[in-house]
Amino acid sequence: MDSSPSAQPAPRHPILLIAPFFLWGTAMVAMKGAMPHTTPFFMAGMRMVPAGLLVLLVSLWLGRPQRLSGKAWLWIALFALVDGTLFQGFLASGLQRTGAGLGSVMIDSQPLAVAVMARGLFGEHIGALGWIGLLWGIAGISLLGLPDEWIFALVHGNTDWLTAGTALDTLLQGGEWLMLLAALSMATGTILIRYICRHADAVVATGWHMVLGGIPLFGLSAFTETQSWQGLTGMDWAAIAYSTLFGSAIAYGIFFFLASKGNLTSLSALTFLTPVFALCFGNLFLGETLSLLQWLGVSFTLVSIYLINRRESLTQRLRQWLLAWEASPTGTAGSD
């Protein structure tokens, strides 16, 4: 069990807990609207470096400890590579080839990876209801992200689309596989924050990892991309500014502050909210529509979040109900 000071309970205000996922979902939509007029690595760099500088300025204003040891810089460098360069690079590249809602769905499969790693590394208790909730959430984002025809084919026992290779071809030709790599990168970054906070302040580390992680993205843009900003309109710059300020600086600052203190499985499960926000706002601003199966997926994700975050109280109530049932005449008779 992780007994470091950083494992103390995180603030539980509902707005604070939900804010990062709302901001990430809406930023996904804003980025998708600007992507036709820019390039992926330039967009990713713009989300990271300016946002990281803002986080560092806020950390100075808040009086957070700025001094970093050599070991802290090594952890932050690893954090920057995994959650900065790799995550944002995969995200921006994948977003070019998939919808804002679908892209968010693929990324937000990462709570399952976080739960497995947090269980093994920090001994976080998940419990039966927690695992059921995680699997229910994965089912929900599958309904949201997989083509309806694949799901209907599975229901009817038709697996020709799998054996023919069309499913794999579709994933590889689109951006979904890049989004899955982004999900794994973010999950690893979420785990890393616990180790980093043993050597550095969470907010300061978040700011530096965004700056250091964003510099290689600008380098990739300079050497591999052309016309990165010349075609951007005023609305595009407004979308980038929103993604930078709200979708990166504020969202990441809050998320990693909470991740450094609270239960990683419960916090990461709230990531299932991000595709819900992205799909809703994608429908509102980009005309992306949801099918009946996708609406069913939305309901699945909400149920999964409830199960995961209320798993301890629900388990206690279930045990009390079972004890009361066994103590009743009906329960005693049934046990004979």
Side-chain angles (χ1 to χ4, degrees):
M1 184 69 68
D2 184 23
S3 58
S4 65
S6 63
Q8 298 301 315
R12 300 293 296 177
H13 194 286
I15 294 178
L16 188 66
L17 288 172
I18 294 173
F21 313 103
F22 171 83
L23 295 173
W24 281 334
T26 53
M28 189 76 64
V29 177
M31 288 172 62
K32 184 63 179 179
M35 281 307 298
H37 307 136
T38 185
T39 53
F41 293 129
F42 175 78
M43 170 73 83
M46 286 299 298
R47 284 200 69 188
M48 294 295 286
V49 176
L53 293 173
L54 284 172
V55 171
L56 289 173
L57 287 174
V58 171
S59 72
L60 280 171
W61 178 65
L62 293 174
R64 312 289 294 193
Q66 302 290 320
R67 190 168 183 174
L68 300 171
S69 65
K71 187 174 289 187
W73 280 114
L74 288 175
W75 277 110
I76 291 173
L78 178 61
F79 189 28
L81 173 64
V82 173
D83 191 76
T85 305
L86 294 180
F87 171 61
Q88 292 294 336
F90 289 140
L91 167 62
S93 299
L95 192 59
Q96 273 198 323
R97 293 187 256 174
T98 188
L102 178 56
S104 181
V105 165
M106 304 307 292
I107 290 173
D108 298 319
S109 62
Q110 55 96 11
L112 186 59
V114 171
V116 172
M117 287 188 282
R119 179 71 181 89
L121 294 172
F122 306 126
E124 286 194 357
H125 177 71
I126 299 174
L129 285 180
W131 286 115
I132 291 172
L134 286 167
L135 295 175
W136 201 255
I138 297 299
I141 64 172
S142 297
L143 289 173
L144 285 166
L146 294 177
D148 286 4
E149 56 268 24
W150 292 9
I151 297 171
F152 285 127
L154 279 176
V155 170
H156 290 91
N158 181 7
T159 58
D160 291 343
W161 55 278
L162 277 173
T163 55
T166 56
L168 181 61
D169 291 342
T170 301
L171 289 174
L172 292 179
Q173 290 171 6
E176 288 81 0
W177 69 280
L178 292 170
M179 293 301 194
L180 289 174
L181 291 175
L184 184 59
S185 300
M186 183 178 180
T188 305
T190 302
I191 293 296
L192 283 176
I193 194 66
R194 280 285 179 84
Y195 294 100
I196 293 164
C197 288
R198 297 172 183 174
H199 309 284
D201 177 77
V203 178
V204 174
T206 298
W208 276 117
H209 109 281
M210 296 175 79
V211 173
L212 297 177
I215 292 174
L217 295 171
F218 276 137
L220 286 169
S221 177
F223 285 103
T224 64
E225 298 173 341
T226 58
Q227 301 294 313
S228 296
W229 67 84
Q230 290 83 348
L232 291 170
T233 66
M235 287 297 295
D236 293 332
W237 281 113
I240 292 174
Y242 177 85
S243 298
T244 300
L245 176 59
F246 293 96
S248 292
I250 296 176
Y252 275 100
I254 295 174
F255 178 80
F256 284 117
F257 173 74
L258 295 174
S260 70
K261 296 181 177 294
N263 183 281
L264 291 178
T265 302
S266 296
L267 176 65
S268 185
L270 292 174
T271 308
F272 288 137
L273 285 174
T274 305
V276 175
F277 289 127
L279 286 165
C280 290
F281 281 89
N283 174 265
L284 184 62
F285 292 106
L286 302 180
E288 296 182 353
T289 58
L290 275 71
S291 67
L292 290 176
L293 281 179
Q294 287 177 315
W295 281 115
L296 181 62
V298 169
S299 67
F300 273 35
T301 60
L302 296 178
V303 170
S304 75
I305 291 168
Y306 179 79
L307 287 174
I308 294 166
N309 283 275
R310 302 289 296 174
R311 62 187 184 276
E312 292 183 2
S313 60
L314 289 173
T315 300
Q316 186 176 5
R317 290 180 188 177
L318 181 60
R319 287 174 179 169
Q320 291 174 347
W321 180 83
L322 287 174
L323 288 172
W325 182 81
E326 290 177 355
S328 67
T330 304
T332 304
S335 64
D336 294 339

